Amino acid sequence: ESPLTIPTSSVDVHQSELDHDSVHSDGDGGPDMQTPNESDASVDESVAESALEMEDVSVSLRPVVASIAIDGTSATTIIIDSTSGDPLCRPYLYNESCPDALPLVKSIAPPKHTVCSGSSTLCKLVSWWNSCDSSKESAVLLHQADWLLWLLHGKLGVSDYNNALKVGYDPEMDSYPPWLLSQPYSHLLPSVQHPGTKIGCMKEDIRTQFGYPKDCLICTGTTDSIAAFLAAGATLPGKGVTSLGSTLAIKLLSTKRVEDARFGVYSHRLDDKWLVGGASNTGGAVLRQLFSDEQLKKLSEQINPLEASPLDYYPLQAVGERFPVADPNMEPRLHPRPKNDVEYLHGILESIARIEAKGYTLLKDLGATPVEEVITSGGGSKNEKWIKIRERVLGLPVSKANQTEAAYGAALLAMKGACENTASD
Ligand code: ADP
């Protein structure tokens, strides 16, 4: 079934796996975690191996795996000792905030830079640097995917420009900016490669333990949302991927980089193009508050998608919206509710489609390549009536992605690394 001609392997590391398996904490994996300290450092390699699920790859496939890449949750960070490889703190999770570091980060970074958020990787690094008084010289910062890849290839301090964006890497200059390099902690920053670049071969001990081939390559990865985008197969400028999960997130491949902090819009680099993204607070979570998935299926079957619904809602779970309208006081609007639930659902789906259309229009107005085609992932993508409604509202071809697993996108990066390696041989 796989279109891959070179067998590759990939891992999509879900946050929960690290929360529950890899971190021996007191069980509080939630957002209100305390500031990490050295006594919490308790991540060991055997746990990492289970996080990597090396044994889940079938024994018969392992000998033919040509390359491996990993995607991980962006801004999940660990600081380790480069001489021993031991963690110097427990991992900072992606959504953990370090407000103590924010004033300092804001004072060195350009205004509205992506690092100017308490949960950015740079705030985590600064917070650690200011609270720790030993091992500073030999420390190295790794993102979640970098750390897991390091366990496989053994070369310390390698990352990719997607994961490194939130620590301050400038993907346009393809280097860390001078304002960051002049900081006393700049030696902790990992070296940065393009996603899907060969780092080296799999370490001998891991390779023999699990039965991977001698020349199995380990390649740089990316963040999990970018891997999910890559999985959907949008490779040309103007192709968009809308994720209809609990929230509505749109990503558009563009020739131009677009940033606007007001709307939370920013761009990741993807080779010679830019992946522009924005996320609304509307989405499937509101539907789930009103209907079960079974009801959604049954009611949707009765909708005529060619007919416009006269109902104009703004479905939100709570007050506040950021994209495509920046209004922290926006109230959810789900009234009037018609007696007929088919009409009600039709109105909600159509209203979400209008928000999606407005999102793509905003990206165009900010300078991105206009969207030409939309591929859909997430729980809402299986709703064929919704796809038809969206085609009418967006005025564009809309389809469901064939592949939606982030791990598939990481496998595509692994294949890229293997192909480039073959070409350079
Ligand atoms: P996430 O990973 O963001 O939690 P998923 O991608 O798993 O979300 O999608 C779950 C969402 O999909 C739910 O909020 C649910 O309302 C929505 N959903 C499930 N079935 C349907 C359907 N038939 N039509 C529209 N939305 C659906």
Side-chain angles (χ1 to χ4, degrees):
E1 287 171 5
S2 161
L4 304 183
T5 48
I6 299 177
T8 53
S9 183
S10 62
V11 182
D12 165 29
V13 184
H14 294 288
Q15 196 59 48
S16 56
E17 285 164 14
L18 275 184
D19 291 352
H20 300 131
D21 297 337
S22 303
V23 187
H24 305 169
S25 68
D26 294 327
D28 68 339
D32 56 346
M33 286 219 270
Q34 289 149 14
T35 307
N37 59 50
E38 286 180 70
S39 61
D40 287 342
S42 50
V43 184
D44 63 46
E45 289 197 19
S46 60
V47 178
E49 279 159 18
S50 72
L52 281 166
E53 296 169 15
M54 298 294 283
E55 279 172 333
D56 283 1
V57 179
S58 88
V59 178
S60 61
L61 276 179
R62 289 181 212 168
V64 293
V65 172
S67 58
I68 295 179
I70 295 178
D71 68 89
T73 309
S74 161
T76 291
T77 310
I78 189 163
I79 294 165
I80 67 167
D81 187 280
S82 59
T83 44
S84 65
D86 290 337
L88 293 171
C89 59
R90 65 159 178 75
Y92 291 78
L93 299 185
Y94 67 103
N95 57 353
E96 198 168 320
S97 189
C98 298
D100 55 300
L102 200 49
L104 202 144
V105 167
K106 281 187 170 168
S107 73
I108 56 167
K112 296 183 184 160
H113 193 283
T114 181
V115 296
C116 297
S117 141
S119 59
S120 75
T121 317
L122 186 57
C123 280
K124 288 164 182 157
L125 169 56
V126 170
S127 177
W128 178 82
W129 182 260
N130 287 339
S131 64
C132 169
D133 39 38
S134 63
S135 311
K136 283 182 159 175
E137 285 320 304
S138 56
V140 59
L141 176 141
L142 296 176
H143 306 95
Q144 182 183 20
D146 311 337
W147 178 68
L148 290 164
L149 284 164
W150 164 67
L151 295 172
L152 297 182
H153 59 67
K155 293 183 188 162
L156 255 180
V158 187
S159 188
D160 63 85
Y161 57 56
N162 295 150
N163 270 301
L165 191 77
K166 289 183 181 168
V167 79
Y169 191 79
D170 184 332
E172 202 155 2
M173 280 177 12
D174 217 354
S175 67
Y176 288 106
W179 59 262
L180 186 52
L181 288 173
S182 60
Q183 300 305 316
Y185 41 80
S186 65
H187 62 278
L188 269 80
L189 298 168
S191 75
V192 174
Q193 305 278 353
H194 293 218
T197 302
K198 166 191 157 186
I199 306 170
C201 288
M202 189 184 278
K203 271 173 25 184
E204 181 78 18
D205 53 342
I206 305 258
R207 187 178 76 64
T208 45
Q209 182 185 349
F210 294 100
Y212 284 83
K214 202 168 180 154
D215 53 356
C216 180
L217 296 180
I218 309 300
C219 304
T220 49
T222 185
T223 68
D224 49 10
S225 67
I226 294 180
F229 179 88
L230 296 173
T235 50
L236 296 171
K239 304 262 182 192
V241 174
T242 300
S243 166
L244 293 171
S246 301
T247 58
L248 178 149
I250 70 177
K251 286 199 158 54
L252 173 67
L253 209 53
S254 166
T255 53
K256 217 180 132 208
R257 183 182 190 181
V258 173
E259 314 264 319
D260 195 317
R262 284 174 304 167
F263 301 105
V265 169
Y266 66 96
S267 299
H268 270 289
R269 184 173 163 189
L270 272 186
D271 294 325
D272 57 347
K273 302 178 198 69
W274 295 95
L275 186 52
V276 188
S280 163
N281 292 335
T282 193
V286 181
L287 293 173
R288 196 159 263 173
Q289 277 181 338
L290 297 164
F291 304 110
S292 68
D293 285 3
E294 192 51 36
Q295 283 174 313
L296 283 177
K297 191 164 169 262
K298 292 252 160 65
L299 293 170
S300 296
E301 280 163 10
Q302 299 170 60
I303 292 175
N304 177 1
L306 303 177
E307 220 170 73
S309 165
L311 299 163
D312 183 22
Y313 301 135
Y314 207 106
L316 293 173
Q317 260 195 316
V319 171
E321 174 66 310
R322 188 157 185 208
F323 173 89
V325 181
D327 178 2
N329 302 316
M330 184 189 273
E331 298 273 348
R333 194 170 69 240
L334 277 162
H335 287 280
R337 178 171 182 159
K339 287 207 178 68
N340 182 324
D341 274 347
V342 177
E343 282 173 33
Y344 191 38
L345 180 62
H346 188 171
I348 297 172
L349 297 182
E350 185 135 351
S351 299
I352 296 178
R354 278 195 292 268
I355 296 168
E356 180 186 3
K358 211 169 169 178
Y360 281 112
T361 302
L362 175 65
L363 296 186
K364 184 186 78 182
D365 292 347
L366 294 175
T369 304
V371 63
E372 288 170 6
E373 186 192 336
V374 174
I375 304 171
T376 320
S377 61
S381 66
K382 56 177 172 271
N383 190 325
E384 281 164 24
K385 293 291 175 78
W386 203 1
I387 286 193
K388 292 235 157 58
I389 292 173
R390 292 167 56 226
E391 279 200 316
R392 173 168 50 76
V393 173
L394 290 160
L396 296 168
V398 178
S399 59
K400 180 179 182 304
N402 289 331
Q403 299 289 344
T404 54
E405 285 294 331
Y408 189 89
L412 292 176
L413 288 176
M415 181 168 72
K416 180 176 161 223
C419 291
E420 283 173 2
N421 189 54
T422 312
S424 67
D425 277 352

